[in-house]
Amino acid sequence: MIILGVNAYHANASAAIVVDGRLIAAVEEERLNRVKYAAGLPARAMQFCLDQVGAKLTEVDHIAIPRAPRARLATKLRFASRMPRFALDRLRVMKRFAGMREDIAGAFGIAPESIRAQFHRIEHHTAHLASTYCVSPFEQAAVLSADGLGDFASAMWAVGEGPRMRMLGDVRFPHSLGIFYTALTQYIGFWKFGDEYKVMGLAAYGQPEFLDEFRKMVRADKPLSFKLGLKYFTHQSQGPEMSWREADRTPVQGRLFSSYLEKRLGPARKADEPLTSRHHNVAASMQAALEEVLAAHWNALCDTTKQKALCLAGGIAFNCVANGKIFALTPFERVYVQPAAGDAGLSVGAAFAVNHQILGRPREFTMDHAYWGPSFSASEIRRCVETVRGEDDVRIEELDEQTLLETTARHIADGKILGWYQGASEWGPRALGNRSILADPRRPEMKDILNRRIKHREIFRPFAPSITEEATSEFFEKSHPSPFMTFAYAVRAEKRDVIPAPTHVDGTARLQTVSRTSNPLYWKLLREVGRQTGVPVVLNTSFNDNEPIVSRPEEALNCFQRTRMDVLVLGNFVLERKPATLKPERSEAGVATGLK
Ligand SMILES: [Fe+2]
C-alpha cells in the first residue's frame, strides 16, 4: 500500500511517502530546487520519494493532498461576497487543485489516466494534526494545530485515540495567532516569508511594556477560543493576501497591520532602520500576548480531553520559547512536536490521515528521528572530494570512524568552524546533526565569529546547542526530550558561563537533545567532544549561507569553499583549509540592530 503525500501550490512544498503504514521518505522541494520556501508542484520531491521505495508514480495507490477547497464553504462564501478579490483568489485555488492529476501527469511526462492512484483531499488542519499525532509515540493525546490560515481556519484541535483523531473544534478566519504574529513581525520591519522566528529571538531583549495594548489585539475570549482585535489588522477587510513571485515561486505576504495599529504603537519600523529598545519591547509584548493565549488554550484543551500528552503542529508550534513553558504552565506531562511542524509537514500529515482516518489502518510508526531526506553513497561523496584533491589550500584525509570522531572533536575544541555532513538530510527547517555547521559552545565570541564568517545573519538571533540526552539535566532546568529543536529551556545558572555561545540573552537555549538511537554517529561525536572538553555540547547551526540547507555533497563543498569555514567533514573525509588561505571576514553581520 503506497500513499504519496503532496503539499503543492503552497509555501514549503514537499512530498512524503508512506508504505504499509510506515514513513519511508520525506523532503521539502526547496532542498532539491534550491529555492527557499519553494511553492508550486514539488515534482522533484515526489520523484525522490518514489525512488526511495523503488516505485513508479503509476504504482502509487493513494495520493493525499492537504488542501480541501470546499472545507468551511459557507464561511468562505460569506467573506467572498464582501471581498471580490478574495472570491477570485478562491476560485483560482479551486481550479488549480481540480487540475492536479493533469499537472502531476504533465510533470512526470505520463498520461493522466495512467495514474491509478485515488486522490484524497485532506483538510489543511486535519493534515497538520495527523502530521504530529499519527507519528507521535503516544497511544492517546490532545492534538493542536495553529498557524496563519489554512482552508479558512487558523487553529483546530482534536483528541487522538489509537489510530483515530476526533476533531473537537476550530478557530476560523479572520481570527488567527499566525496572522497576529506575522503582522507584528512586519511592523517590526521583517517582511520576508518565514521571518517570524527572528522576532521571537528579538523578544528576549525587551520587556512586555505594551502588553495591555497587545491584549486588545489578541485575547482568549472564552475557553478554547481566541479573537483578534480586527481594527489592528487588514486581512479581514482585504483578504489574506498571499501570492507567489512568478520568477522563482517564492511566497510573498501582503501587509497585515493597519494604520490603526501604527496610531496606537507608533510608526512601523522600516527594514533598514536601526532596532531600538521600543522594537525590542514590541517584540516582547507580542511574544507575551501569544503565550497568554496559548497557555489558556493548552489548559482548556487539557481540561476538555483529560490527556497527559500533547501533540503540536502548524507554524505556531515552531515557537520554541512558548513550547518550553508548556510544562510549567499546564498539566501536560509530555509534548511531541513534529520536526516539520509548518506547512512542509502537511505532506506527511495528509498521507497518514489517509492511512488512518480514511483507510482505517492501525498505527505502526513513530517518527523518532528526522532523517528522511536524501543521502549519498560513500562513492558519491568520494567523487565529490576528488574534485578538489590537489588544490593547494585544502588538506584532505580519509579516516576510520573513531579517528574521524576524535579529529572532529579536536577541531571543535580548538575553536574551528566545522561543516558536518553525514547520512540523510533532515526533515524540517532545523539542521539536526547531519547537515550542520558545528562550533565550540564554550567560547562567548563564537556567535559573532560564526556570523562574520558564515551565516551573515542578525546578531540578535541565537544559535542553538546540541547535547547528549544523558547530559541534558546537568545543563538545563528541564530534561524532557527536544530531539527536533522545538523547545527552549532555561540553561542552569551555573552552566551559563560554561556554554555562553548558545545561551540566549534571557538565559534559555533552543536545544536539540540527541539520543544514542536517533543519530548514533552524532551522539558519539557529542560524547567525544565531552570526553575532550568536559562539555558534551556543540553549537549547531544549519549548513547553509542564506540558501536552503545543503542537500548534496557538492553543495556542502561549495558552501565550504565560498565561506570562511575552517574544516569540512564530508562522510569519512576531513577537508581542512590551510589557515593562510582563508578569505577575509565580512566587516559586518546582517542588518543594523542597535544591539551590541
Ligand atoms: Fe498551515
Side-chain angles (χ1 to χ4, degrees):
M1 171 72 66
I2 302 178
I3 307 172
L4 185 62
V6 183
N7 179 38
Y9 312 128
H10 198 283
N12 300 304
S14 67
I17 198 156
V18 172
V19 179
D20 296 334
R22 307 188 68 79
L23 181 70
I24 305 298
V27 69
E28 295 98 322
E29 186 76 356
E30 66 159 34
R31 304 296 163 87
L32 307 177
N33 73 359
R34 313 303 299 156
V35 176
K36 192 103 174 137
Y37 307 120
L41 183 73
R44 290 179 177 87
M46 293 164 70
Q47 185 63 59
F48 163 75
C49 288
L50 292 166
D51 290 346
Q52 292 306 102
V53 303
K56 294 196 185 90
L57 183 61
T58 50
E59 294 169 311
V60 171
D61 300 292
H62 300 272
I63 294 181
I65 312 293
R67 189 77 183 252
R70 290 176 190 280
R72 304 180 184 89
L73 196 57
T75 318
K76 285 175 185 169
L77 288 173
R78 205 168 60 242
F79 275 92
S81 66
R82 298 208 310 249
M83 292 183 284
R85 196 176 70 180
F86 172 72
L88 278 173
D89 185 53
R90 292 295 98 182
L91 274 175
R92 214 176 302 128
V93 168
M94 287 177 88
K95 202 168 148 213
R96 181 125 231 192
F97 279 86
M100 210 153 163
R101 179 184 290 267
E102 288 70 25
D103 279 6
I104 292 175
F108 282 77
I110 57 176
E113 55 277 14
S114 66
I115 300 176
R116 66 178 178 89
Q118 194 180 341
F119 278 67
H120 303 268
R121 300 289 169 78
I122 305 295
E123 187 275 330
H124 186 95
H125 288 278
T126 303
H128 270 316
L129 295 169
S131 80
T132 182
Y133 172 68
C134 297
V135 303
S136 77
F138 309 135
E139 275 301 307
Q140 48 181 32
V143 199
L144 173 64
S145 163
D147 64 6
L149 191 67
D151 281 330
F152 230 56
S154 71
M156 198 156 107
W157 47 97
V159 63
E161 285 160 348
R164 299 277 181 176
M165 294 184 301
R166 190 158 42 87
M167 305 305 158
L168 299 175
D170 64 14
V171 169
R172 297 183 181 194
F173 180 88
H175 303 286
S176 162
L177 295 179
I179 286 177
F180 159 73
Y181 214 89
T182 304
L184 271 296
T185 297
Q186 292 177 345
Y187 171 82
I188 301 171
F190 296 93
W191 285 83
K192 278 196 195 147
F193 186 83
D195 271 355
E196 291 81 357
Y197 62 101
K198 296 183 182 175
V199 178
M200 181 179 67
L202 186 69
Y205 289 88
Q207 296 298 322
E209 180 191 342
F210 307 109
L211 185 54
D212 285 345
E213 189 70 31
F214 273 74
R215 286 176 177 143
K216 295 175 197 157
M217 282 182 224
V218 64
R219 66 187 193 283
D221 63 328
K222 56 185 179 186
L224 285 171
S225 176
F226 53 80
K227 286 240 178 329
L228 293 183
L230 293 173
K231 59 189 171 186
Y232 292 88
F233 306 95
T234 60
H235 63 287
Q236 78 288 357
S237 55
Q238 295 170 21
E241 188 192 326
M242 169 76 88
S243 57
W244 282 268
R245 208 163 45 205
E246 277 306 320
D248 57 6
R249 311 304 296 156
T250 306
V252 179
Q253 177 78 64
R255 171 176 154 150
L256 291 167
F257 61 90
S258 69
S259 49
Y260 179 77
L261 189 145
E262 286 192 286
K263 203 153 83 187
R264 298 294 300 167
L265 281 184
R269 172 180 168 263
K270 294 191 174 63
D272 57 353
E273 287 175 356
L275 281 162
T276 65
S277 60
R278 188 175 75 83
H279 302 120
H280 303 164
N281 292 350
V282 170
S285 306
M286 170 179 74
Q287 179 69 25
L290 176 81
E291 288 173 11
E292 281 189 356
V293 174
L294 283 175
H297 208 88
W298 295 328
N299 277 306
L301 190 56
C302 194
D303 279 352
T304 304
T305 62
K306 312 288 181 225
Q307 295 294 318
K308 292 189 169 137
L310 174 65
C311 299
L312 298 176
I316 293 289
F318 280 134
N319 198 300
C320 56
V321 176
N323 293 351
K325 295 177 181 172
I326 294 174
F327 307 101
L329 297 177
T330 79
F332 284 118
E333 293 169 6
R334 296 181 69 195
V335 183
Y336 181 85
V337 187
Q338 208 246 109
D343 283 349
L346 292 169
S347 55
V348 163
F352 277 99
V354 168
N355 193 52
H356 300 306
Q357 300 281 103
I358 293 176
L359 303 178
R361 294 170 55 90
R363 283 177 71 193
E364 46 206 332
F365 174 77
T366 300
M367 191 189 286
D368 49 13
H369 67 77
Y371 312 105
W372 303 104
S375 62
F376 297 85
S377 67
S379 60
E380 286 171 297
I381 289 175
R382 180 184 299 279
R383 249 196 322 274
C384 173
V385 171
E386 291 304 326
T387 63
V388 289
R389 196 179 285 284
E391 291 187 6
D392 289 344
D393 57 342
V394 178
R395 182 167 51 234
I396 300 173
E397 287 182 296
E398 185 178 6
L399 304 174
D400 63 68
E401 183 181 293
Q402 187 53 36
T403 318
L404 185 87
L405 293 170
E406 287 168 10
T407 305
T408 303
R410 180 169 46 75
H411 281 310
I412 292 170
D414 286 348
K416 302 277 176 62
I417 293 179
L418 181 139
W420 174 253
Y421 181 102
Q422 302 290 345
S425 67
E426 294 88 345
W427 169 236
R430 306 278 168 257
L432 298 168
N434 278 6
R435 301 285 187 277
S436 291
I437 294 172
L438 308 179
D440 188 348
R442 300 170 304 159
R443 297 167 187 262
E445 72 279 13
M446 195 46 88
K447 190 176 145 185
D448 291 341
I449 292 173
L450 258 176
N451 261 331
R452 281 201 308 272
R453 288 216 206 156
I454 318 268
K455 302 294 286 193
H456 312 123
R457 62 188 209 181
E458 299 83 355
I459 59 167
F460 60 81
R461 288 168 56 192
F463 286 103
S466 297
I467 182 167
T468 57
E469 203 172 58
E470 295 81 354
T472 307
S473 60
E474 185 192 332
F475 284 80
F476 290 88
E477 288 179 7
K478 188 85 207 156
S479 59
H480 180 283
S482 175
F484 307 132
M485 258 186 204
T486 44
F487 298 89
Y489 298 151
V491 180
R492 287 190 180 279
E494 69 276 16
K495 296 293 186 188
R496 289 178 190 175
D497 290 340
V498 180
I499 50 168
T503 301
H504 201 24
V505 64
D506 60 356
T508 67
R510 186 194 68 199
L511 75 168
Q512 176 198 4
T513 57
V514 182
S515 73
R516 187 176 204 153
T517 50
S518 66
N519 190 335
L521 189 68
Y522 194 43
W523 181 85
K524 283 187 225 171
L525 176 63
L526 288 165
R527 195 182 54 163
E528 179 60 25
V529 169
R531 196 187 66 76
Q532 291 189 21
T533 69
V535 179
V537 182
V538 298
L539 193 156
N540 170 11
T541 185
S542 52
F543 200 145
N544 59 348
D545 172 21
N546 286 316
E547 62 187 320
I549 297 176
V550 300
S551 175
R552 304 183 58 81
E554 297 81 9
E555 290 152 9
L557 184 62
N558 180 272
C559 186
F560 169 68
Q561 288 175 314
R562 70 172 194 273
T563 62
R564 296 191 76 246
M565 214 178 291
D566 299 297
V567 181
L568 170 61
V569 180
L570 206 56
N572 272 21
F573 291 91
V574 178
L575 288 76
E576 189 180 357
R577 204 196 303 271
K578 295 172 189 167
T581 64
L582 282 175
K583 291 179 206 158
E585 293 177 6
R586 282 197 202 176
S587 58
E588 58 187 38
V591 299
T593 60
L595 293 169
K596 296 280 184 286

